[in-house]
Structures are given as structure tokens and as C-alpha cells.
Amino acid sequence: MSEKISLAKETKRILQENDIKLNKNLGQNYLIDDFKRKKIINYGNLTKEDTVLEIGPGIGTLTIELAKKAGKVIAIEQDTTIFNILKRRLEKENITNVELINGDAVKVDFPKFNKIVSNLPYQISSPISFKFLNYDFDLAILMYQKEFADRMNGKVGTKQYSRLSAMLYFKADVKFLTKVSPESFIPSPKVDSAVVELKPKEEKINEEDYKVYSKVVKALFQHRNKKARNALIDSRHIIGFKDKKELKSILNNAEDENPKIKELLLERTINLSPESIMELSILLKDHIN
Ligand code: SAH
């Protein structure tokens, strides 16, 4: 391209030429803000040593810039029409270091990568983020709905503290980077967005412990304002108890043996730190299946 046209104009032109109506159900909100695009790419700190995974490349707004800086980009797009547009676009621009995959990113196996940079389809925020954490990587720069990003980073006792915050706590460090307003996309979503940095913890948590912790977290956060004891009893099926009495007696015994446990079980879910929930989980570990 000899003349530099704005990202907004370029995006609208490509969509028009291909007669594309963006599909809300697929989370198709395309970035048209040049400044934010630059920021996102810069956060990635890319070198030619890097292989970048991108989920939902759309028409290539981030992909093409990523390909200039990284050694390789792996981009997974579910919408076949959009996938074909991007494929042609890459061919036309002679970009050869992008591996394009047409599929559902929640389902396909990821090839090897060490960084992730994506403006995610928001409807898969949760499953895709947990899927990322099953892989080893250095750094992820991800755009989410702001409300989701806030919950990722929710601190104990606040409105944002949630199952998501507790689940991420032992797996990754989450850092808020920048807010992005609805006008930075077409079509404009109804909500603000945010770019977040996600870095897997260097020290890996014991998977057995984490499995039990996940169940306890799930049970507790179904009743975020209840006392932990009651929350666990009410959601006992999640931690593998059918019988109310059985769980009650286990909790009673634990309380008698350990005053700390008694204290924890009297706290409301939203006031239990991840460490405290882990303590409870380890206590219940032998009883949970
Ligand atoms: N990265 C582009 C597009 C973001 S919109 C930009 O910033 O402009 C999100 C994209 O993800 C859409 O192109 C949508 O078709 C795609 N998508 C939605 N669900 C997906 C899934 N499960 N797997 C892969 N891609 C998906």
C-alpha cells in the first residue's frame, strides 16, 4: 500500500467488498482503532524468536502486524467466510509466516507457541482462557470485555471477586493494561473492553490439589454471600457428597480438630482468600471424589 489509509476505512472497505455482515453471535467486533492496535502489538514485545497464537484473527487487523514482528503466527478463525478473506489477503500481501487454521479455537489442539496476542471473541472468554493455561507459554496479551477483565483480577471482599478470580489466582498473574472504548470497534459493542496481560505462574501448582480446589471454589461461589459452611453444604453435590449429614459430620469433626477451620467455615465466600479456600480444599481432599 503506497498511501496510508485509516484502519477504520480499510476495515469497512474489506467488509463491504466481500459483502460481509458481522455476526454478533460469533463475537465479531472488529478493531478499527489504529492507536490501540499499536499499543496491543507493542505490549507483546515481539521478536523473530516468537511464535504467536492468535484466536479469532478476523480479517487480519492484528495478524498482519504480528506477522511483521514475530517469527511465526498461528491464527485460528472459526468463520469460514472470514477465514477465506484473510487467507486471500495474506497471499496478496505476500505474508508467508502465518499458519491459518479454520476451526473452533475451544476445540482444536494448539500447535506449539510461546506468546498469545488476541482480541478475543468475548463469548468464549472463559473456556479459552482456561484452555490457554493448560499450555506452557511466556506471555499473553488479551482483549476482553472490561467486566470480565475486572473479574479476572478481582480482589478478596470486592464485587469483582469471583470464581474466575479464585481459579486464576494460582495459575497466572493478571495485569490490567488499558481500557478500550466501544467506538474502537465495528460494530460497537455495548460495553467497554480492556487489554490484559496474563503470565503463567513460574511455580506450578500441584494438579491434584488444584482439581479439588476447583470443585470447592465452584461450590463456594454458587453462594458468594453465604457462610462457607452453608455454601458447601448447599452445593455438596459439586464436591461429591449426596448426603447432607455425612458432610456436616466431616465439617464438625474438622472444626473440632482445628479452630482455624472453624474460623474459615464461618466466613462468607467473598471474604475467603484463595489461600484460605486452598486450606479448606486440602482438608476436604480425602473426602472429595
Ligand atoms: N482480531 C480481529 C477480530 C476480533 S472479533 C480484530 O481485532 O479485529 C473475534 C473473531 O473471532 C471473529 O472473527 C470471529 O469469527 C472469531 N471467532 C468467534 N468464535 C470463535 C471460535 N470459537 N474460534 C475461533 N474464532 C472464533
Side-chain angles (χ1 to χ4, degrees):
M1 239 185 302
S2 52
E3 198 185 327
K4 198 165 163 55
I5 59 166
S6 80
L7 178 57
K9 276 195 184 142
E10 190 182 18
T11 305
K12 284 173 193 159
R13 179 180 56 79
I14 294 174
L15 293 175
Q16 242 162 33
E17 272 174 14
N18 292 280
D19 207 13
I20 297 294
K21 292 261 173 307
L22 290 174
N23 179 350
K24 271 196 184 150
N25 295 330
L26 277 176
Q28 292 178 336
N29 296 105
Y30 285 6
L31 188 67
I32 52 167
D33 184 329
D34 228 333
F35 180 67
K36 291 293 179 185
R37 170 166 71 172
K38 278 201 192 90
K39 274 188 114 162
I40 293 168
I41 302 290
N42 284 340
Y43 289 132
N45 242 325
L46 299 171
T47 73
K48 288 286 164 192
E49 305 291 300
D50 290 320
T51 298
V52 181
L53 176 70
E54 188 193 3
I55 306 302
I59 56 170
T61 301
L62 296 176
T63 324
I64 290 171
E65 298 306 311
L66 292 171
K68 288 180 192 162
K69 302 213 161 177
K72 186 180 171 182
V73 179
I74 301 157
I76 308 177
E77 172 59 56
Q78 182 172 34
D79 183 323
T80 306
T81 309
I82 298 288
F83 167 89
N84 284 321
I85 293 171
L86 177 55
K87 195 165 166 240
R88 282 198 301 274
R89 195 173 173 202
L90 294 172
E91 280 162 10
K92 210 170 128 198
E93 300 210 13
N94 260 323
I95 297 171
T96 54
N97 60 340
V98 177
E99 178 183 345
L100 262 188
I101 299 173
N102 184 202
D104 179 348
V106 176
K107 293 188 181 140
V108 301
D109 284 335
F110 299 151
K112 213 170 145 41
F113 64 93
N114 71 311
K115 288 185 180 173
I116 312 172
V117 178
S118 304
N119 169 19
L120 290 171
Y122 294 160
Q123 83 284 3
I124 61 166
S125 296
S126 187
I128 202 73
S129 303
F130 285 108
K131 183 170 177 181
F132 291 155
L133 294 172
N134 293 331
Y135 291 80
D136 235 340
F137 61 92
D138 302 327
L139 171 78
I141 304 298
L142 300 166
M143 177 114 69
Y144 294 97
Q145 275 188 17
K146 179 155 187 309
E147 193 253 13
F148 187 90
D150 289 342
R151 280 194 292 119
M152 291 173 79
N153 223 348
K155 299 288 175 275
V156 184
T158 67
K159 206 173 93 208
Q160 287 77 26
Y161 189 49
S162 60
R163 182 180 170 200
L164 179 68
S165 341
M167 289 301 294
L168 287 177
Y169 184 84
F170 290 110
K171 286 280 187 181
D173 290 319
V174 180
K175 194 165 122 195
F176 176 89
L177 294 174
T178 188
K179 197 175 113 174
V180 184
S181 59
E183 307 82 66
S184 295
F185 306 89
I186 48 165
S188 303
K190 291 200 175 65
V191 291
D192 281 332
S193 299
V195 181
V196 161
E197 179 193 271
L198 201 71
K199 257 191 190 161
K201 295 264 186 206
E202 269 171 33
E203 221 174 295
K204 302 292 178 219
I205 186 165
N206 175 296
E207 274 307 312
E208 293 264 300
D209 290 349
Y210 190 71
K211 233 170 141 178
V212 179
Y213 175 78
S214 308
K215 289 186 185 174
V216 173
V217 165
K218 186 174 178 190
L220 287 172
F221 277 96
Q222 290 210 334
H223 310 280
R224 47 184 288 118
N225 291 315
K226 278 193 184 172
K227 293 187 174 146
R229 191 174 204 282
N230 299 331
L232 290 177
I233 292 169
D234 286 355
S235 292
R236 61 189 172 280
H237 55 283
I238 294 172
I239 50 176
F241 289 89
K242 281 201 194 82
D243 187 20
K244 208 172 180 169
K245 272 191 197 149
E246 187 197 351
L247 179 57
K248 274 188 175 171
S249 94
I250 286 173
L251 295 178
N252 287 343
N253 286 340
E255 283 179 344
D256 290 345
E257 274 170 30
N258 185 343
K260 179 77 197 292
I261 293 295
K262 186 165 188 172
E263 208 178 289
L264 292 180
L265 287 170
L266 280 172
E267 284 285 355
R268 290 176 200 284
T269 297
I270 62 155
N271 293 323
L272 278 178
S273 66
E275 284 87 358
S276 298
I277 300 177
M278 185 57 92
E279 248 185 280
L280 274 179
S281 309
I282 288 168
L283 158 84
L284 291 167
K285 191 170 162 178
D286 295 336
H287 307 284
I288 295 182
N289 29 52

